[in-house]
């Protein structure tokens, strides 16, 4: 039964059909599939499957990331309220677009993927200064700062990741707070994350969310 | 003397010439070149034209641009706030469409040529026409119908509407965008642009799934092109890849020039095009920022070796980031001019 459910759900994601994906999930719950199984055996593996799709065949578009992130987030949220034993959050992080950057899509997809993985996310918004990133992380007790940038100057500029690094260094916070970056320029230059002194990067939001989870759980990468 | 225009024509027709054409798209460098603040620079078509001519003399590439920034198209539709930066391109700051309810009221100006936002572009084009017209291809940039909503409402809101919203509203918005598209192409042609870069990330399977491309994007591409004809049109996915869609676009529209992404394999692109159109191989100008002169030369050589044999090839850049050091632009140009030479030279 689960195999069929997984197939139907994955097909709906590939077709960017939100209504069908939600229908498939609701029908399954009605048939008695547990909310835990939906999250851990259907929703999260589907996101991982999309990572494989992307790395193996380059075969998942931004639209599919976007819809998958939205659906995964919605379903996880809904299922969490019905878990037999309340699930604990896996940690909290802050995210924002770097200074000068107003492009929200990448960040929104990443947020969806993180929440689907039961990670709390504080959205610092667009056009966030380096100061605000660090302040945000301290205020919300976040061990990770995630920075999205769609342009070269907002990725490389002194007020972006480099600025965050400088402040973390000056304030001796580097052991406590790690920085992960992503967005279009990083996909064109796979060494750019090192140039801007980030601790990690990911090529897409699904992989990014999994990496954040590993970082939070202290799994060595 | 062979002109840049001759080179482009020879590359399109596959006839002999001294070398392949080299397009170097220097947009964000203009204000720096003129020593001006971006906001002031972009408000003056004469300055934009002057910068294009100065950089042309400096680097010796084969094209000039009338593009200020893509957000200009949003200004035509009523956008009243652009965010300027000293070290990068301007961006739309206020979206014209803030909620779905704004769509029915959205108006395409009757006469875009008299719109202040277009007028400076026309002024720039006229100067370029006067100075290098007929000798150097003058390029204009126009966003495709399917992609234009991204700068009117933001990419995330557009994806939401397109994939999850009411189809009637999407259709209404696209009709308006198509109307603007057609007006823009006609206006740029009248102003004297030779090359019309048709920018359509939604016509790449990096952005939308193949099924969606076939059912939704491709019909709009056909409609756009049927309305304006293929003269001077260049298919471009905003640096998203296009090898997976080239054959279909070519067969269904007859567009004669394909401006690949650095993410596309040039050899594969040429195979797909198979002599039916001009292939433009595009350097990864984001990596270029940090490459050494040797790396640049090596990469240009590799790209041209993959694209030049058999003709109908152009070497190009993306929208060169302002962070690329001048010596690196020169190193790229030198290599492209050298490796781009043909054995047979025109008399
Ligand atoms: C679609 C597109 C457009 C559209 C829509 C733009 C918009 N959003 O407003 C149009 C055609 C209008 C356009 C215009 C412009 N564009 Co454009 N555009 C693109 C394109 C093709 C895709 C960008 C996009 O929206 N992707 C969708 C997002 C979600 O993808 P993403 O950012 O890669 O995010 C994914 C991952 O990177 C990751 N991720 C994202 N953030 C994070 C964060 C973390 C922490 C992690 C782990 C992961 C992660 O997850 C996401 C999903 O998996 C790219 C090229 C490309 N192939 O990427 C160029 C690109 C972004 N554009 C570029 C530029 C320059 C522009 C302009 C500024 C040009 C100009 N001079 O006017 C304008 C700006 C318009 C404006 N806003 O005013 C450049 C930027 C590089 C640079 N030179 O600085 C690019 C890279 C093209 C290039 N190679 O030159 N563009």
């Amino acid at each position: 039964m689960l195999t069929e459910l997984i197939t139907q759900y994955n097909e709906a994601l590939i077709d960017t059909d939100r209504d069908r994906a939600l229908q498939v999930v609701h029908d399954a719950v009605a048939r008695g599939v547990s909310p835990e199984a939906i999250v851990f055996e259907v929703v999260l593996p589907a996101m991982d499957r999309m990572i494989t799709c992307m790395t193996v065949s380059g075969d998942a578009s931004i639209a599919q990331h976007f819809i998958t992130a939205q659906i995964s987030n919605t379903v996880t949220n809904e299922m969490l309220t019905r878990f037999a034993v309340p699930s604990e959050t896996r940690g909290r992080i802050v995210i924002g677009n770097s200074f000068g950057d107003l492009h929200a899509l990448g960040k929104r997809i990443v947020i969806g993927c993180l929440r689907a993985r039961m990670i709390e996310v504080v959205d610092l918004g667009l056009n966030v200064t380096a100061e605000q990133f660090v302040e945000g992380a301290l205020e919300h007790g976040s061990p990770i700062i995630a920075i999205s940038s769609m342009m070269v100057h907002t990725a490389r500029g002194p007020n972006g990741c480099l600025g965050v690094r400088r402040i973390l260094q000056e304030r001796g916070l580097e052991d406590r707070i790690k920085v992960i970056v992503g967005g279009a320029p990083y996909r064109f230059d796979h060494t750019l994350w090192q140039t801007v002194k980030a601790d990690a990067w990911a090529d897409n939001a699904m992989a990014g969310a999994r990496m954040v989870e590993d970082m939070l759980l202290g799994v060595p990468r | 003397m062979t002109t840049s225009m001759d080179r482009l024509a020879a590359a399109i027709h596959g006839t002999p010439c001294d070398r392949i054409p080299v397009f170097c798209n220097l947009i964000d460098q203009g204000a720096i070149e003129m020593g001006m603040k971006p906001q002031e620079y972009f408000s003056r078509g004469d300055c934009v034209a002057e910068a294009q001519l100065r950089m042309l003399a400096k680097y010796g590439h084969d094209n000039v641009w009338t593009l200020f920034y893509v957000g200009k198209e949003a200004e035509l539709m009523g956008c009243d706030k652009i965010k300027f930066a000293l070290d990068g391109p301007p961006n739309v700051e206020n979206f014209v469409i803030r909620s779905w309810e704004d769509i029915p009221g959205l108006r395409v100006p009757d006469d875009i040529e008299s719109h202040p936002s277009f007028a400076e572009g026309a002024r720039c084009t006229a100067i370029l026409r006067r100075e290098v017209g007929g000798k150097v291809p003058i390029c204009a940039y126009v966003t495709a119908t399917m992609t234009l909503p991204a700068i009117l409402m933001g990419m995330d809101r557009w994806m939401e509407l397109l994939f999850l919203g009411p189809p009637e509203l999407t259709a209404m918005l696209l009709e308006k965008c198509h109307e603007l598209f057609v007006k823009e192409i006609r206006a740029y042609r009248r102003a004297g642009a030779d090359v019309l870069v048709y920018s359509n990330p939604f016509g790449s399977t990096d952005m939308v799934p193949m099924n969606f491309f076939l059912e939704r994007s491709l019909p709009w591409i056909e409609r756009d092109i049927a309305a304006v004809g293929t003269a001077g049109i260049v298919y471009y996915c905003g640096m998203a890849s296009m090898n997976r869609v080239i054959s279909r676009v070519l067969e269904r529209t007859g567009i004669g020039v394909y401006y690949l992404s650095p993410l596309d394999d040039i050899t594969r692109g040429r195979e797909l095009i198979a002599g039916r159109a001009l292939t433009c191989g595009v350097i990864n100008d984001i990596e270029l920022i940090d490459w050494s002169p040797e790396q640049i030369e090596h990469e240009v050589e590799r790209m041209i070796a993959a694209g030049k044999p058999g003709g109908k090839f152009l070497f190009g850049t993306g929208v060169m980031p302002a962070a690329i050091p001048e010596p690196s632009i020169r190193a790229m140009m030198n290599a492209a001019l050298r490796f781009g030479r043909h054995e047979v030279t025109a008399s």
Side-chain angles (χ1 to χ4, degrees), chain B residues 146 198 200 202-203 210-224 235 245 247-253:
Chain B
M146 185 59 113
Y198 175 67
N200 196 14
F202 281 80
M210 183 54 103
N211 282 347
F212 183 93
F213 170 82
L214 294 173
E215 285 160 27
R216 305 284 303 280
S217 300
L218 193 53
W220 270 110
I221 297 169
E222 284 183 278
R223 242 189 97 179
D224 281 352
Y235 193 67
V245 302
S247 299
R248 286 186 167 99
V249 174
L250 209 158
E251 280 148 25
R252 296 270 284 269
T253 66

Side-chain angles (χ1 to χ4, degrees), chain A residues 14-16 18 59 61-64 66-67 70 100 102-105 108 127 151-153 156 185 188-189, chain B residues 83 85 87-89 91-93 155-156 159-160 163-164 205-209 239 244 284 287 289-290:
Chain A
I14 288 166
D15 293 342
T16 58
R18 177 181 62 178
D59 224 25
S61 62
I62 291 290
Q64 283 156 322
F66 180 56
I67 303 295
Q70 287 227 337
L102 308 171
H103 299 92
L105 178 59
R108 272 188 69 179
N127 192 20
M151 293 173 299
V152 165
H153 71 289
R156 298 179 66 114
F188 283 89
D189 178 352
Chain B
K83 187 171 181 60
D87 52 353
N91 280 186
V92 170
E93 183 159 355
M155 191 71 176
D156 56 329
M159 284 251 171
E160 221 158 46
F163 287 94
L164 309 171
T205 52
D206 289 354
M207 304 307 292
V208 298
M239 284 312 152
R244 292 180 67 199
N284 185 332
E287 283 185 313
I289 300 171
D290 297 312

Side-chain angles (χ1 to χ4, degrees), chain B residues 21 39 83 92 98 116 139 150 184 191 232 249 263 271 281 289:
Chain B
Q39 190 152 7
K83 187 171 181 60
V92 170
R98 293 181 198 183
C139 303
E184 277 190 278
V249 174
L263 309 173
E271 275 167 20
I289 300 171

Side-chain angles (χ1 to χ4, degrees), chain A:
Chain A
M1 185 159 103
L2 219 48
T3 327
E4 195 190 325
L5 166 61
I6 291 167
T7 310
Q8 286 173 352
Y9 179 79
N10 285 341
E11 275 170 10
L13 293 188
I14 288 166
D15 293 342
T16 58
D17 192 336
R18 177 181 62 178
D19 296 346
R20 202 168 88 223
L22 294 178
Q23 191 61 51
V24 167
V25 167
H26 291 147
D27 289 351
V29 174
R31 283 198 315 267
V33 179
S34 77
E36 287 83 350
I38 300 273
V39 172
F40 295 111
E41 289 174 57
V42 183
V43 175
L44 296 186
M47 289 168 64
D48 288 342
R49 201 179 146 276
M50 203 163 263
I51 303 176
T52 321
C53 260
M54 271 179 290
T55 40
V56 176
S57 54
D59 224 25
S61 62
I62 291 290
Q64 283 156 322
H65 300 189
F66 180 56
I67 303 295
T68 301
Q70 287 227 337
I71 297 168
S72 312
N73 182 11
T74 310
V75 175
T76 301
N77 252 339
E78 210 180 297
M79 295 303 128
L80 275 179
T81 58
R82 308 190 197 177
F83 270 23
V85 181
S87 174
E88 268 181 34
T89 148
R90 296 171 175 184
R92 180 189 300 150
I93 77 151
V94 294
I95 190 169
N97 275 75
S98 51
F99 183 69
D101 209 304
L102 308 171
H103 299 92
L105 178 59
K107 173 170 65 75
R108 272 188 69 179
I109 301 176
V110 177
I111 292 176
C113 295
L114 286 165
R115 292 195 174 138
R117 297 193 97 92
M118 289 163 285
I119 295 165
E120 271 182 66
V121 190
V122 179
D123 184 0
L124 300 176
L126 304 170
N127 192 20
V128 179
T129 64
E131 276 294 341
Q132 289 167 333
F133 270 116
V134 177
E135 286 305 324
L138 290 173
E139 184 188 330
H140 298 285
S142 158
I144 296 177
I145 293 174
I147 310 176
S148 178
S149 312
M150 207 195 72
M151 293 173 299
V152 165
H153 71 289
T154 55
R156 298 179 66 114
N159 258 312
C161 186
L162 283 171
V164 171
R165 172 62 58 206
R166 184 181 44 76
I167 298 171
L168 292 179
Q169 243 161 18
E170 282 169 8
R171 297 172 62 174
L173 292 167
E174 283 184 296
D175 289 344
R176 274 170 59 194
I177 300 175
K178 300 292 169 201
V179 187
I180 181 167
V181 293
Y186 298 98
R187 305 187 61 233
F188 283 89
D189 178 352
H190 293 183
T191 62
L192 184 55
W193 67 282
Q194 290 165 313
T195 311
V196 303
K197 299 186 177 159
D199 294 299
W201 85 289
D203 167 79
N204 63 76
M206 323 273 152
R210 197 163 65 181
M211 189 175 285
V212 166
E213 185 181 314
D214 290 350
M215 286 162 86
L216 285 171
L217 300 177
V219 175
R221 274 171 298 120

Side-chain angles (χ1 to χ4, degrees), chain B residues 223-341:
Chain B
R223 242 189 97 179
D224 281 352
I225 301 306
V228 299
T230 57
I233 299 277
V234 175
Y235 193 67
Y236 169 68
C237 297
M239 284 312 152
S241 69
M242 66 168 74
N243 274 352
R244 292 180 67 199
V245 302
I246 285 181
S247 299
R248 286 186 167 99
V249 174
L250 209 158
E251 280 148 25
R252 296 270 284 269
T253 66
I255 291 177
V257 186
Y258 294 83
Y259 211 88
L260 303 188
S261 156
L263 309 173
D264 286 310
D265 180 59
I266 293 176
T267 309
R268 183 75 191 123
R270 284 194 51 106
E271 275 167 20
L272 291 161
I273 291 171
R276 295 176 292 174
L278 174 66
T279 308
C280 309
V282 177
I283 194 164
N284 185 332
D285 52 21
I286 293 182
E287 283 185 313
L288 178 60
I289 300 171
D290 297 312
W291 277 338
S292 68
E294 294 72 36
Q295 282 175 303
I296 295 173
E297 183 172 290
H298 189 258
E299 177 59 5
V300 174
E301 183 179 12
R302 182 197 69 79
M303 290 172 60
I304 294 182
K308 194 173 76 166
K312 297 202 177 183
F313 184 69
L314 175 152
F315 176 92
T317 70
V319 193
M320 299 274 276
I324 303 171
E326 257 195 48
S328 301
I329 304 180
R330 287 186 201 275
M332 182 198 74
M333 281 306 305
N334 287 342
L337 299 184
R338 188 149 55 86
F339 294 117
R341 229 176 275 145

